[in-house]
Amino acid sequence: MLGTMMHRPLRIADILTFAAECHPDGEIVSVRTEGDVHRTTYRETALRVAQLAHALQGLGVAPGDRVATLAWNGYRHFELYYAISGIGAVCHTINPRLSAEQMTYIVGHAGDTLLFVDTTFVPILEKLRGELPEALRIVVMTDRAHMPGTTLDGALCYEELLEGQDEAFDWPEFDENTAAALCYTSGTTGEPKGALYSHRSMVLHSLIVPISMPTVFVPGRRILPVVPLFHVNAWGLPYTAPLTGASMVFPGAKLDGASVFDLMDREKVYSAWGVPTVWLGLLGEIEKRGRLPEGFGHIVVGGSAAPRPMIEKFEARGVDVCHAWGMTEMSPIGTTGQQSPAMAEWPKDRLIDWKSRQGRRVFSVDFKIVDEDGRPVPHDGKTVGELYVRGNTVIGGYFENASATAAAMDADGWFGTGDVAHITPDGILTITDRAKDLIKSGGEWISSLDLENVVMAHPKVANCAVIAVPHEKWDERPLLVVAPVGEGPTKAEVDELLLKHFARWQLPDDLVLVEELPLTATGKVSKLTLRRQFAQYQLPEQRAAV
């Protein structure tokens, strides 16, 4: 027997309509590429989004068409999120840090018909124009006064598209499973793969996440998405913030520690979201100035594991650290480590231990871990296996990529994350490593992540990575690569620290100092690049033998 309730399709446009009516004074503050700071509200934004929707239809954009963006975090990019999906088209966000080969591949694979670009990235398109589809039209996201001189023939001006357009729009109804957004993985292995989100999945994600962080998503609270709008929808913040009435502060292109500190301080940002590399820079600026930005009390760390020393330093200054985990293929949030009121009474070490894990799964995302034969293993907080996920916000396959889909999904429809983990009976996830980053030495596994977390506590280490290098006897051995503070640590100093936590055979065989670690397009340390760089590296005993 079915219920007798109405069924209305879940639509992304309804989020902004709701925000404009119920949270009209919620703010969007943007550092613009033009060099100034722009301020607007959800009420004002809804009017401009209606104008943009009319403009898109005037350019011939039809339901199902892919419309690309190549832009920083800012109000115009936010407007595109709602106008494109609102008319039934697909907002395809492109990561500007991808290689030229990857960028041209995903534009062609997505079949983009229109591309909106920030002025900063116009030179990228000028270099790639001959490799992009001839019919692809370009819109520069600025006004006429700031339009750059460009070799992009026929480039349109964003603000001119909106001029004279109606500020009301009757948003069409369509199936809630209609595609709304497209985001490609950074392609660290093979070609980038597309995750095609639906209106249903994104609205559900927007409802699920605030449940896990009730103290953050409060009307008037100010949130800084350092995580970019071009990467997994800025972890859903363009939807969750307006839905809950929280204000957003967009940082634009300047993401160094000093610039982020100044912006947060000036705008009294409460919660900031981003990857560890950004927060290490901010932490350095906080220690340099001897204080926190005004109003700062909460941070979400994701993208890669948060080093324990970083968590300790933020917590010591009164900043509540929320460790989160997810993937492009999961919309992306799968867990949050939000502190509950009861945890305020915990001993400091116990609290930091808990926050160093990836947190508890969010509603509607299910987990299982399996052994090497694909058999489920218990969630006892000890047994380790590969993590598989399923849920309303998890992809059921990659966009137009049957082979990648077949490789990622198991026979029961679960998605294989490639992460190695264990899970407690109460749903707390701990990622022990990426499957490809585990080091197998003499038949025994060594976690690069565990080693890195300890090494990061050394005062002479700014950042580090542990990778496997070939070894004739042991198959693989760990190599520690360090971006130092000052002259950096010696191998003996690092060994002394590690021996408090690991057996000697688990320690890296050598230490290499580098000026900086290579980063992926999403700001993580690129171990793929490091493995290539040190593919022929000889460990001390191998050099001695030669």
Side-chain angles (χ1 to χ4, degrees), residues 284-299:
E285 194 65 22
I286 289 170
E287 293 176 342
K288 178 181 176 181
R289 303 195 193 192
R291 68 177 181 92
L292 295 173
E294 186 175 350
F296 182 33
H298 183 267
I299 190 171

Side-chain angles (χ1 to χ4, degrees), residues 251-471:
K254 294 182 179 180
L255 304 180
D256 59 281
S259 296
V260 171
F261 185 103
D262 289 339
L263 179 62
M264 292 177 65
D265 194 45
R266 184 173 65 249
E267 299 298 334
K268 298 178 176 59
V269 168
Y270 171 71
S271 181
W273 296 40
V275 298
T277 49
V278 171
W279 303 138
L280 288 170
L282 176 63
L283 188 58
E285 194 65 22
I286 289 170
E287 293 176 342
K288 178 181 176 181
R289 303 195 193 192
R291 68 177 181 92
L292 295 173
E294 186 175 350
F296 182 33
H298 183 267
I299 190 171
V300 176
V301 187
S304 57
R308 182 187 177 97
M310 186 181 79
I311 297 175
E312 291 175 330
K313 290 177 181 178
F314 274 121
E315 289 282 336
R317 289 185 175 270
V319 177
D320 181 10
V321 177
C322 176
H323 204 172
W325 171 85
M327 301 182 71
T328 301
E329 293 88 345
M330 297 173 64
S331 301
I333 294 179
T335 70
T336 64
Q338 184 60 50
Q339 179 178 331
S340 67
M343 292 168 65
E345 305 300 322
W346 285 10
K348 178 182 176 182
D349 285 347
R350 182 186 178 193
L351 182 64
I352 300 299
D353 283 343
W354 195 90
K355 288 177 177 265
S356 296
R357 301 179 180 185
Q358 277 61 50
R360 185 176 283 110
R361 70 182 180 93
V362 298
F363 174 71
S364 93
V365 176
D366 298 325
F367 291 162
K368 72 174 179 180
I369 46 177
V370 302
D371 62 19
E372 292 182 351
D373 297 319
R375 295 173 299 198
V377 298
H379 294 187
D380 56 11
K382 300 176 182 178
T383 308
V384 173
E386 183 178 353
L387 177 64
Y388 278 73
V389 296
R390 70 177 180 187
N392 293 305
T393 59
V394 180
I395 66 167
Y398 290 105
F399 174 61
E400 300 290 348
N401 196 330
S403 60
T405 297
M409 311 299 295
D410 74 4
D412 297 318
W414 292 69
F415 173 79
T417 67
D419 282 322
V420 179
H422 59 72
I423 304 170
T424 65
D426 57 343
I428 304 300
L429 175 72
T430 300
I431 302 293
T432 59
D433 221 326
R434 290 289 293 168
K436 64 178 178 292
D437 292 334
L438 283 170
I439 300 163
K440 196 164 190 178
S441 178
E444 298 288 344
W445 293 108
I446 300 173
S447 170
S448 63
L449 183 60
D450 287 348
L451 291 169
E452 290 160 3
N453 281 336
V454 173
V455 174
M456 282 296 296
H458 199 287
K460 296 180 182 178
V461 173
N463 206 353
C464 72
V466 175
I467 60 170
V469 293
H471 193 281

